[in-house]
Amino acid sequence: MSQHPIVLPDYLAPKPRRFSPLKVAVVTFVSLFVVVALVAAYLWVEYSTYTEAAEDSRAEGYIVVTSRSTVHYASDPLPADISEEDYAAFWAEPALNTPDALALLDVINEGWKARLQEDVKHMEYRVDGIVDPAKRANAQAAVDEIAELASHGTVQGAKSAVYDDLAQLSRKTCHRWDTDDVSYQANGHPIRNWTTTQPQILSLLESEDSTRQATSLVAKVYPAAFEAAHPRFCKLPIPPESSHPGDMNLLFSVTHEADMLLESLETHPNAAGQLTAEDYEAFWNSPVMTSPEVQAYLDRVGEKAVIDHRGAAAYRQKRETDQIVDPGVREHAQQYTDWVLDEAAKDNGRRLAVGMVYADLVEYWDAACTGEPDRWLHPSPVKRNIWNSRLEPDFNTDYVSSAWSSRDSEWSDATFKLAVEFYPEAYAAGVDSYCK
């Protein structure tokens, strides 16, 4: 029996598959969308976790650094520009040991305590926002230091405030800068009008009652205290008053420039308490900072700083000092400038160099602890590596100020190359102490 192939009707025959580009495109798109969504979700979780950690670190750094500076400012027993012996002699003056003077210190002390208590409230609010337990505990410990200081009092801070006040009021008369609240006798001795003078310590007090008490006590204490303190702050006799128009403005310009240089010489680099005294000493005694290379760098920078300041002074002498008509005023401007330049040259500019290098590193440390290195358009000496989330300092000429001279670009280029050889290690030697 022969077999015949079975022929199905057309409506039952299978239809050949036809290629559908639209279906392939839809499937491909959906697949890609799912993959992209999963990757985006992963990255979002990673970013959120990283952002939270970065915010915690920044909040912790801000609280720690601010607390350390606050405690230092309110309790440091010694101002930045005076020796321990001279400071003791200052407070041994009878005018600063009267009952009214001691009462003034008490009022300022209470004002400090009130301000510190407000600082504690503000910082505890920020502590509450830190998620990481270890960072929150470290930040809380820093706040507790302020709270403890507030509970024990800030007598040393009050004494420093009075010293700074009298120093500023005295120095304003050394070159006849202050003519609004001061008249000068024939021998140059200043007579201050205490009715119009506004001492800075009154701004430390927030309550009306304490401000009223302090104002009354200042009127009783400051006139005699000013007379006793004034000779300590003027290096030269007060110059005569010139009758020639413009002389006193030129005198102000010349002596102001010299004063800024003197301030950088006399002010301790760590005056703001950026590091504890122990950490500051340990930093400068670290292997990197005691190395021959760094010591040679400090010598190079200090020597150049002195040369540059002398060059700037010579330029100002032609443009300003020599234009002063009154011989007594001109002599005062010249003598004061020469004296300050000699002070800078005593150690071949080492004090200036130490201050400049330390200021550079503090800027880097502070950016790492309290700055915002994650903002792409935000200029910062420290940036975050997007691949490993580590903070990395960017050592360039914008932030390494110690290697810059406005008068010698060739020296600047060569010095910058020397700086970048040790700045990374110097940064690493102090950043943990600054941030923690």
Side-chain angles (χ1 to χ4, degrees):
M1 182 175 177
S2 62
Q3 295 182 354
H4 297 281
I6 300 174
V7 179
L8 297 175
D10 290 342
Y11 64 88
L12 292 177
K15 296 180 179 180
R17 292 184 178 182
R18 290 185 293 180
F19 176 75
S20 175
L22 179 60
K23 183 184 293 185
V24 172
V26 170
V27 171
T28 302
F29 176 78
V30 170
S31 301
L32 288 175
F33 178 80
V34 171
V35 171
V36 170
L38 291 173
V39 171
Y42 172 78
L43 292 177
W44 176 253
V45 171
E46 286 292 309
Y47 176 77
S48 299
T49 304
Y50 147 75
T51 301
E52 181 180 278
E55 288 294 334
D56 279 358
S57 295
R58 185 157 54 249
E60 177 197 17
Y62 169 81
I63 292 169
V64 168
V65 171
T66 304
S67 297
R68 186 190 305 124
S69 295
T70 300
V71 170
H72 176 85
Y73 186 57
S75 63
D76 184 46
L78 192 66
D81 61 348
I82 189 172
S83 68
E84 188 173 348
E85 295 76 14
D86 289 343
Y87 192 56
F90 174 86
W91 280 104
E93 292 284 354
L96 292 167
N97 288 276
T98 64
D100 286 333
L102 299 178
L104 177 60
L105 291 177
D106 288 339
V107 172
I108 299 172
N109 182 34
E110 291 302 315
W112 269 111
K113 290 169 65 175
R115 175 170 289 190
L116 290 176
Q117 288 164 357
E118 289 298 318
D119 289 342
V120 168
K121 293 179 182 179
H122 170 70
M123 291 189 183
E124 284 185 335
Y125 174 79
R126 299 200 64 163
V127 169
D128 291 340
I130 299 176
V131 178
D132 184 270
K135 290 181 170 62
R136 186 168 62 248
N138 189 47
Q140 184 61 56
V143 177
D144 290 343
E145 289 187 28
I146 301 180
E148 183 179 358
L149 178 65
S151 66
H152 288 89
T154 57
V155 175
Q156 295 297 343
K159 294 179 76 171
S160 293
V162 171
Y163 169 85
D164 290 340
D165 219 3
L166 291 171
Q168 182 187 50
L169 293 173
S170 297
R171 287 171 178 149
K172 284 184 177 180
T173 69
C174 294
H175 314 293
R176 288 184 181 259
W177 290 356
D178 192 342
T179 56
D180 294 330
D181 303 317
V182 178
S183 60
Y184 297 86
Q185 295 178 335
N187 62 359
H189 184 75
I191 305 298
R192 182 166 285 282
N193 183 345
W194 293 101
T195 303
T196 59
T197 296
Q198 294 294 320
Q200 277 191 332
I201 60 165
L202 298 180
S203 64
L204 300 176
L205 309 171
E206 297 182 358
S207 73
E208 293 184 4
D209 184 53
S210 58
T211 301
R212 186 165 49 251
Q213 292 181 56
T215 301
S216 175
L217 290 167
V218 161
K220 298 176 182 178
V221 174
Y222 266 37
F226 175 80
E227 291 293 328
H230 185 270
R232 298 178 179 276
F233 298 107
C234 293
K235 311 299 182 181
L236 297 174
I238 295 176
E241 183 177 8
S242 174
S243 59
H244 297 277
D247 273 6
M248 303 313 288
N249 288 335
L250 290 171
L251 175 65
F252 173 83
S253 178
V254 173
T255 54
H256 179 65
E257 288 292 331
D259 253 16
M260 288 194 296
L261 173 56
L262 183 63
E263 182 179 1
S264 65
L265 290 169
E266 292 185 338
T267 302
H268 193 282
N270 197 49
Q274 299 96 328
L275 296 179
T276 65
E278 295 77 13
D279 286 340
Y280 179 80
E281 184 176 354
F283 169 74
W284 283 105
N285 288 326
S286 64
V288 59
M289 301 312 293
T290 56
S291 66
E293 293 77 12
V294 172
Q295 295 303 306
Y297 182 86
L298 293 173
D299 289 339
R300 177 185 178 90
V301 171
E303 180 181 356
K304 185 61 175 176
V306 172
I307 292 173
D308 283 356
H309 280 297
R310 288 197 182 280
Y315 175 80
R316 281 195 303 275
Q317 180 171 345
K318 293 180 180 179
R319 296 291 301 270
E320 297 178 332
T321 307
D322 290 349
Q323 306 307 312
I324 298 175
V325 178
D326 188 285
V329 176
R330 184 172 62 250
E331 182 182 10
H332 177 90
Q334 188 64 60
Q335 285 182 347
Y336 189 66
T337 300
D338 291 343
W339 178 80
V340 173
L341 291 172
D342 289 343
E343 285 293 306
K346 277 185 178 179
D347 58 357
N348 201 29
R350 174 57 72 100
R351 285 174 291 176
L352 293 173
V354 167
M356 286 189 284
V357 170
Y358 189 66
D360 283 349
L361 292 170
V362 165
E363 185 173 6
Y364 278 95
W365 295 336
D366 195 65
C369 300
T370 67
E372 297 185 54
D374 307 312
R375 292 173 58 184
W376 294 350
L377 299 179
H378 180 67
S380 172
V382 174
K383 295 294 184 182
R384 191 179 299 278
N385 187 317
I386 61 173
W387 302 111
N388 57 25
S389 295
R390 293 177 181 174
L391 293 176
E392 297 178 352
D394 176 21
F395 295 107
N396 62 60
T397 53
D398 290 337
Y399 301 108
V400 183
S401 301
S402 67
W404 183 77
S405 169
S406 61
R407 309 174 70 84
D408 193 335
S409 59
E410 184 178 346
W411 179 92
S412 298
D413 293 339
T415 306
F416 177 73
K417 294 177 181 178
L418 296 174
V420 295
E421 292 181 4
F422 76 90
Y423 261 53
E425 192 175 349
Y427 166 85
V431 66
D432 288 341
S433 297
Y434 186 91
C435 296
K436 304 298 182 183

